[in-house]
Amino acid sequence: MVKDISVVPEVHFLEQVLERISQGELRVPKFQRPFLWRPDQMLQLFDSMERGYPMGSLLIWETTMPLESLDTIGGRSIPSAPEGAKVAYVLDGHQRLSTLFGVLHRSDDAPQSTQQEDWMWWVYRPLVRPDHDGVRYRHWKSGETVPGSFLPMRSVLGTLDFLEYARKLSDVSGSREEADHLTKESERIAKRVKNYKVSVVRMEGGTLKQAIEVFSRINSSGQKMRPDQMVSALTYGTIGSETLSDKMEEIRGRVAASGFGEIPIMTIFQTVLALSGEEDVQRDTSWETMARKVQGQLMTAVEDTDRIVQEVVEFLRDEVRVPLARLVPYNIQIMLLAVFFHFSDKAEAEQRAKLRNWFWTTSLAGTFAGATTTQVRNFIRQMKAFAGGTSALGYSGERARAFPDRFDLRSARVRAYLLWDLQTFPERKNPDGSTVNVLELLATAHSETYRHIITQSGVPGASSPANRIVMTTPPGVSIRQALIRLAEEGRTDILDSHGVSLASIEHLKADSYTDFIFARQQELAARERQFIESLGIESAEKEVGEADIDTE
């Protein structure tokens, strides 16, 4: 019989709590959020401790139940949990404990470099007041030698380390009096840390589901547990030693390594649910109920998702010509395509053609903008029926939204425009004749890839996609100057590769910037409309419309 949860409030010295981590007795379960604190938050924690401010209670769960946990905390490896012993798992306080353990238990030979992953764990306390000027703690980010009057916080809990640092203070001091002052200051700070007490709320007994429920209700950092993390924790042990989250991260990593980029983890999670037979993949429901429903199909669904997502990526990249995940207008399209390829015995050429048309129609028409739980469930059922050959995809009669009035990649309509743009102008050239690698630029710089032609503020229409172009110009030469020069030199092949007409450049020469933007916008909108109508999609009634922010 499972013992009910009991709660015991206690007070411990910080040093004792950190020692339990170093012995492997206090651990962080894998369903916890990763370490997310910024370096400045780490410094604030030490400053609060020195001032004697409380850092908030730690919540731990003691159990004999084996639970998958992290083998590193604060960038430091920790030993395995003692076999057969009662182990404590951190339910609230991961960020704080990782900071304190990673800094105060840092080894002397730990790497120090200009890389944040190294310097963020080296926290110092300048002992000379002018050195900190109100900011009590610092990271040392440069490759230069750390000043001798900067107390490394890693030394304050180790007696020998602290004595060695205190001994060296006389070497960096100008006088015996100054050395004594610095030594006393360092001793005061070390004493503060050694004597700092932490409030610990210890839970004993209960089940894993109860512990997860407690954790999910705690929101001290302002970040709720994600649904995939919740189901991952509640289905612990059903798919081997790795958690569901681990498996999904592996899937995301493989897709990214293929060059397609990262698919959102929630999209992969919803795909796993859909392929396990669940249709309420978007419902804000009881995740314990959801976990119980899909638990039996979970391992198969994860393996299916790994295989099917790769098939979806190939379809998008090779047949729809979507080169990057970040350009997919709606992430729900990835999940629904996965449903099709999973439930289809064999995707015939005719079905694949209809899927391509479905993708473009739903992207241009904003079909999935603000989709409700009921609508998503119906989309899944419709896709299953289409995969089985018992129903058509119900997107006929959808009208494309107008050409977007501003360049904002949070808009599915803008992403659809970019997909058309990439297909229409596949071989762009720079002023020197070299080829522009747009995809490489998009994979790293994203929106900055498309540079403004007119950069002056207050110009009507300046936010339009028509005022953007992908081109590298020589230092000191603006895009506007480069376009005018290309027109004057008669290099229309380069202008054509970007969809810039000689007629529109006449407005640039006359400094009629708004006229240039509207002229190019009209030209691009007309060309895009031809593409839309060639797919059998009804074009918008008006030429230009608002670019709704409607992506997930």
Side-chain angles (χ1 to χ4, degrees), residues 161-203:
D161 287 336
F162 184 75
L163 289 175
E164 176 65 17
Y165 173 76
R167 185 185 63 78
K168 292 180 179 179
L169 281 176
S170 59
D171 298 333
V172 300
S173 304
S175 64
R176 178 61 181 272
E177 181 180 6
E178 182 185 2
D180 289 344
H181 170 72
L182 295 179
T183 300
K184 289 180 180 178
E185 181 70 355
S186 63
E187 289 174 346
R188 182 187 69 81
I189 295 165
K191 187 177 180 181
R192 277 282 192 177
V193 175
K194 282 179 169 290
N195 293 340
Y196 191 84
K197 293 181 179 179
V198 181
S199 174
V200 177
V201 177
R202 181 164 53 87
M203 290 191 344

Side-chain angles (χ1 to χ4, degrees), residues 49-118:
M49 286 173 55
E50 184 177 332
R51 297 175 188 272
Y53 297 166
M55 69 173 188
S57 298
L58 304 175
L59 178 62
I60 65 174
W61 178 44
E62 285 193 350
T63 179
T64 55
M65 180 187 301
L67 185 63
E68 285 294 310
S69 56
L70 305 179
D71 54 10
T72 61
I73 296 179
R76 292 214 61 195
S77 297
I78 57 174
S80 301
E83 191 171 348
K86 186 176 288 187
V87 178
Y89 296 96
V90 180
L91 297 186
D92 189 38
H94 173 208
Q95 309 294 317
R96 288 165 284 164
L97 285 178
S98 290
T99 296
L100 295 168
F101 184 73
V103 171
L104 296 174
H105 276 243
R106 204 78 183 151
S107 61
D108 186 43
D109 60 352
Q112 284 183 282
S113 72
T114 56
Q115 299 295 315
Q116 180 173 321
E117 61 188 28
D118 291 332

Side-chain angles (χ1 to χ4, degrees), residues 211-253:
I212 297 298
E213 180 66 18
V214 171
F215 173 64
S216 68
R217 294 187 181 192
I218 295 170
N219 194 22
S220 60
S221 65
Q223 294 173 308
K224 291 184 178 179
M225 196 176 188
R226 289 197 324 249
D228 65 285
Q229 294 170 322
M230 175 71 73
V231 175
S232 177
L234 290 170
T235 55
Y236 163 71
T238 63
I239 58 173
S241 60
E242 290 184 295
T243 66
L244 174 61
S245 290
D246 291 332
K247 294 284 190 182
M248 292 191 299
E249 287 292 351
E250 289 177 9
I251 295 172
R252 182 163 71 164

Side-chain angles (χ1 to χ4, degrees), residues 129-150:
R129 185 168 297 277
D131 285 348
H132 60 74
D133 191 28
V135 180
R136 293 172 182 262
Y137 290 84
R138 286 189 184 176
H139 288 106
W140 192 257
K141 305 177 185 179
S142 75
E144 299 177 4
T145 303
V146 182
S149 60
F150 277 37

Side-chain angles (χ1 to χ4, degrees), residues 88 99 130 144 150 175 269 295 302-303 331 354 361 378 406 426 488 502 525 533 552:
T99 296
E144 299 177 4
F150 277 37
S175 64
F269 173 59
Q295 188 161 334
V302 170
E303 292 175 350
N331 290 318
K354 289 180 178 179
T361 302
N378 289 336
R406 69 183 186 280
E488 292 174 342
L502 290 173
E533 293 174 353
E552 299 93 326

Side-chain angles (χ1 to χ4, degrees), residues 316-329:
L316 287 173
R317 189 162 46 195
D318 301 339
E319 299 186 45
V320 188
R321 295 171 66 187
V322 179
L324 296 169
R326 60 174 48 175
L327 293 180
V328 176

Side-chain angles (χ1 to χ4, degrees), residues 226-229 248 252 263-273 281-282 287 331 335:
R226 289 197 324 249
D228 65 285
Q229 294 170 322
M248 292 191 299
R252 182 163 71 164
I263 293 175
I265 203 71
M266 276 301 296
T267 301
I268 297 175
F269 173 59
Q270 290 175 342
T271 301
V272 170
L273 292 180
V281 301
Q282 209 173 22
W287 294 110
N331 290 318
M335 182 270 290

